[in-house]
Each structure stands twice: as structure tokens, then as C-alpha cells.
Amino acid sequence: MSVPAAPGQQADRHEPILPAVRLPGVVAVLFTVAGYVLAHNILYTYLAMFLIPVLLVVVLARRHAFPVRRPNLNRRPEHDA
């Protein structure tokens, strides 16, 4: 499998980036993506260590309020004699 031969840009000619950034909506998309990545990094770097104990308390409180009945696996089965 190969890419078909197609004419490309010449090595000595490069397109400037400024006209592409001036297109409508490009700056808004760039800021949105940058804000999302920044928020994600902040959440997982700084806030996660504070949220883990809070979430642990919530999980334990729910378990205490609604205990899960687990079967006793150490009990011997009863035989009908």
C-alpha cells in the first residue's frame, strides 16, 4: 500500500500561518481547545488530590447507609440427612 504521487508544495515556498488564523472561527476553536486542555491538566494535577478523600467519604457513607449483603463463603453447607 502506498500513497499516490501527487504534486506538492515546493521546498522553497511556504504558506504563512497568519491568513489561516484570520479565518472566521479558528481563534475561537483554538481558545476552546486550549481552555479544555488547561482545565483537564489543572483538574488531574491539583484538584484530584483534594477530591479523592471527599469521594472516598461519599462512597463509604453510601455503603454504610445501604449495606451490600454478601454471601458468607466460610459457612459450611447444610446437608439434609
Side-chain angles (χ1 to χ4, degrees), residues 1 5-6 9 14-17 22-24 29 31 33 35 39 42 44 49 56-57 59-60 65 69 72 77-78:
M1 183 179 249
Q9 241 181 17
H14 297 283
E15 293 293 327
I17 196 166
R22 287 185 179 162
L23 291 172
V29 169
F31 272 109
V33 170
I42 289 171
Y44 281 98
M49 70 175 128
L56 184 63
V57 167
V59 168
L60 291 177
R69 299 191 73 184
N72 185 359
E78 297 176 9

Side-chain angles (χ1 to χ4, degrees), residues 38-56:
L38 180 66
H40 182 271
N41 287 340
I42 289 171
L43 175 70
Y44 281 98
T45 303
Y46 300 108
L47 297 179
M49 70 175 128
F50 297 112
L51 291 177
I52 288 173
V54 172
L55 294 175
L56 184 63

